[in-house]
Amino acid sequence: MTPDKKPDMKKVLNYTIESLLHDEDVEIRRDAVCSLRGFKDKSSVVPILLDCLGDTDWRIRKTAVEVLLSIKNRSIIKVLIKTLHSENANARNAAAEALVASGNEAVELLIETFVSSPPDVKKFIIDIIGTSGDMKVVELLLRAVDDEDDNIKATAIEHLGNLKSILAVDTLLSVLERNNMWLNFYAVDALGKISGERATKVLVTLLQRKDLRKPAIKALGIIADADTLPLIVPFLKDDSKSVREETFITIGEFYKKHVTAEEVTGILWKFFGDETESLFMPYFSSNKEEIKKTSVLLLALLKVKEVVAAVFDMYVDEDLLDTVKKTLAFIGSSSPELLMPFFSSDDAYHRRILSEVAGITGDRVFIEPLISLLKDNDSHVRANSANALSMINDPEVVKHLKPLMLDQYEDIQEAAIRAMAVMKDGLDIDEITGHLSDSNLTMRKNSAKLLKLVGDRMA
């Protein structure tokens, strides 16, 4: 009997995997790709994975990228860079994704191959290294701004802005001196992202150029330096409608960042006086969402009663929630009467926000409405109201908080205990100590917690 001949595993692998990778069922193809992790002969696996990068289904491409990255071999990065030359768009994009995930080692090899690459691959390389966050790519990006291809220049400028490299300012200034309006827009945007005193000064000078005024205003809004706001506000009366609208939106950006309501309204009253409200009201009817939202915030700062309800309705936008609270707190601090009707709003979210805002103001005028909300049907409203009352800190309120020690929700019990501890001057320690013998377990437990927070020596 002749001994069994050992099968050629490479041929077996190729035959089996190839058949599975051509199956119509995506999950079968994906399982086939996943199975390649277990093969020790990586030289046979890599070509198959590279083919999978061009698959029509994103799940196959994503899995192939994951398996390739798990191999962690410098040669893998080299073949991925070669794949950037592929005519298959899916393969190119998947290779780019893998190179981004490969980190510093890929960045170094990409920098080395940049000069010898064709324009379309150069753009891929700029995009990959630009998203790496590695500052050593700045030098290449600066050189790429002088490339012959405008798309490469624009991409390099964009990533210089994303990296916020102050080293790029001189290069961006040189771009602005060229007669290329398309690149100028990229340069102005990059200056806004880079920020800093020098970038700000350049952008301020660009306000005098009609062709770059709009992007310069937008870029200054990214920086949001309070000192530049008075230089922007006058353009609310610019001849160009698009400039006026950009100015309006930018004022809102200043406010949403770190410029206070007092600073914004002070500057507006200084320039436009009693005309301010009538100047802003038309924006409230705008069909453009960004302008509409900005008008709600700015008109609310001007205490226009009709828009206060619209401020509350902006709570659904998580990105604006802090700004909404800040705006309502500003109104509540000086014109609390504008907020009072919303304590009885049918919308629980309105009551939640208002109960939180009332505490931020610290105004005693909100004590009675907050006490009434301690019995609200909404548990979040009850908790927020307890916290708000602790911030106003009136010891007389303690008696109204005590029932919450037996609330059905433990987080509300905790909120009440914390609030009462803050207002400990209103507590009867003997009474609380007596509750340690109460028949109700929850009362005994929460009384002990309260005494611990108060830190009374006798207790």
Side-chain angles (χ1 to χ4, degrees):
M1 181 182 294
T2 56
D4 290 341
K5 185 177 179 182
K6 188 175 181 179
D8 186 334
M9 292 307 297
K10 187 172 183 178
K11 289 182 179 179
V12 172
L13 170 65
N14 288 340
Y15 175 78
T16 306
I17 297 297
E18 283 294 329
S19 61
L20 293 174
L21 288 175
H22 286 87
D23 196 281
E24 292 182 0
D25 190 317
V26 174
E27 287 305 316
I28 290 177
R29 300 208 305 276
R30 186 174 177 277
D31 287 341
V33 177
C34 287
S35 70
L36 295 173
R37 291 180 187 270
F39 288 92
K40 293 182 178 180
D41 184 6
K42 303 304 181 188
S43 62
S44 299
V45 168
V46 171
I48 298 173
L49 290 170
L50 291 174
D51 286 341
C52 291
L53 295 182
D55 194 279
T56 54
D57 192 281
W58 68 270
R59 289 166 289 184
I60 307 300
R61 301 195 296 271
K62 184 175 185 296
T63 305
V65 166
E66 291 172 353
V67 178
L68 279 167
L69 292 174
S70 70
I71 298 175
K72 294 182 180 179
N73 188 311
R74 187 177 174 86
S75 62
I76 297 297
I77 296 175
K78 291 182 178 179
V79 295
L80 286 170
I81 292 175
K82 287 183 179 179
T83 307
L84 295 177
H85 296 254
S86 172
E87 294 182 0
N88 185 310
N90 288 332
R92 292 198 306 270
N93 291 331
E97 179 187 339
L99 288 166
V100 169
S102 296
N104 291 340
E105 191 170 5
V107 168
E108 292 172 2
L109 287 172
L110 286 164
I111 291 174
E112 290 175 12
T113 58
F114 179 80
V115 176
S116 59
S117 299
D120 56 338
V121 176
K122 278 185 175 181
K123 187 177 182 302
F124 263 115
I125 291 174
I126 293 294
D127 271 325
I128 295 166
I129 66 174
T131 57
S132 69
D134 191 334
M135 296 306 291
K136 69 170 173 277
V137 308
V138 170
E139 184 179 347
L140 174 59
L141 293 176
L142 291 172
R143 293 203 308 270
V145 175
D146 290 323
D147 195 274
E148 294 179 355
D149 188 289
D150 274 358
N151 286 318
I152 294 172
K153 292 177 183 177
T155 306
I157 292 170
E158 182 178 9
H159 286 296
L160 284 168
N162 293 336
L163 289 169
K164 304 183 188 300
S165 173
I166 195 68
L167 298 174
V169 174
D170 284 333
T171 299
L172 296 174
L173 283 173
S174 70
V175 172
L176 292 170
E177 292 170 358
R178 305 171 194 173
N179 190 24
N180 188 323
M181 186 55 63
W182 185 55
L183 292 180
N184 283 349
F185 281 111
Y186 278 92
V188 171
D189 183 66
L191 285 168
K193 292 175 181 176
I194 290 170
S195 191
E197 183 178 353
R198 191 150 178 244
T200 301
K201 285 182 177 179
V202 173
L203 291 170
V204 167
T205 62
L206 294 178
L207 292 174
Q208 304 310 313
R209 287 182 55 173
K210 286 190 175 182
D211 57 341
L212 293 177
R213 182 172 293 161
K214 181 180 175 180
I217 290 171
K218 183 177 182 179
L220 285 167
I222 296 173
I223 299 172
D225 181 345
D227 290 339
T228 63
L229 184 55
L231 305 176
I232 293 171
V233 166
F235 293 109
L236 281 170
K237 290 191 170 183
D238 194 83
D239 293 338
S240 165
K241 180 182 177 182
S242 65
V243 170
R244 294 196 301 272
E245 290 182 342
E246 190 63 59
T247 303
F248 187 73
I249 292 170
T250 298
I251 294 169
E253 289 302 310
F254 272 75
Y255 172 60
K256 282 187 277 186
K257 291 177 181 174
H258 47 258
V259 179
T260 67
E262 290 80 3
E263 288 176 302
V264 172
T265 54
I267 292 170
L268 293 175
W269 287 119
K270 178 181 177 180
F271 276 95
F272 307 117
D274 294 337
E275 182 189 3
T276 308
E277 184 178 330
S278 61
L279 186 66
F280 282 13
M281 280 305 294
Y283 293 109
F284 188 60
S285 304
S286 175
N287 293 323
K288 298 177 182 178
E289 185 178 0
E290 191 174 13
I291 292 177
K292 175 77 172 181
K293 287 181 177 180
T294 301
S295 72
V296 170
L297 293 173
L298 295 182
L299 286 167
L301 296 185
L302 298 174
K303 313 291 177 61
V304 177
K305 182 179 179 180
E306 292 76 14
V307 305
V308 176
V311 179
F312 277 96
D313 290 334
M314 291 170 71
Y315 70 84
V316 294
D317 189 334
E318 289 189 8
D319 292 335
L320 286 175
L321 190 54
D322 288 340
T323 304
V324 166
K325 292 176 184 176
K326 181 173 73 168
T327 303
L328 293 173
F330 174 72
I331 296 172
S333 296
S334 54
S335 302
E337 70 280 0
L338 294 178
L339 299 186
M340 287 299 184
F342 295 94
F343 278 99
S344 56
S345 170
D346 292 333
D347 190 324
Y349 283 97
H350 289 180
R351 302 195 303 277
R352 287 183 189 181
I353 294 171
L354 184 53
S355 56
E356 187 175 346
V357 165
I360 295 172
T361 67
D363 197 320
R364 293 177 58 83
V365 71
F366 294 118
I367 290 178
E368 289 302 321
L370 286 170
I371 288 174
S372 68
L373 292 184
L374 292 175
K375 298 178 182 179
D376 197 273
N377 292 329
D378 186 274
S379 60
H380 294 283
V381 174
R382 299 199 298 277
N384 286 354
S385 298
N387 290 329
L389 286 166
S390 72
M391 296 170 73
I392 297 174
N393 197 0
D394 182 349
E396 292 296 319
V397 173
V398 168
K399 60 187 177 185
H400 299 286
L401 289 165
K402 282 175 61 179
L404 294 185
M405 292 175 71
L406 294 175
D407 194 276
Q408 61 179 314
Y409 296 111
E410 191 169 347
D411 60 329
I412 296 177
Q413 298 170 23
E414 296 284 350
I417 291 168
R418 289 193 301 271
M420 292 166 70
V422 170
M423 296 176 280
K424 59 184 178 182
D425 289 343
L427 286 173
D428 183 336
I429 297 299
D430 290 338
E431 181 186 10
I432 300 300
T433 304
H435 288 323
L436 294 174
S437 302
D438 196 277
S439 60
N440 188 307
L441 172 61
T442 301
M443 179 59 81
R444 297 200 304 274
K445 177 186 68 175
N446 287 335
S447 296
K449 287 183 177 180
L450 177 56
L451 289 169
K452 180 181 179 181
L453 287 176
V454 171
D456 184 81
R457 184 171 298 178
M458 182 65 72

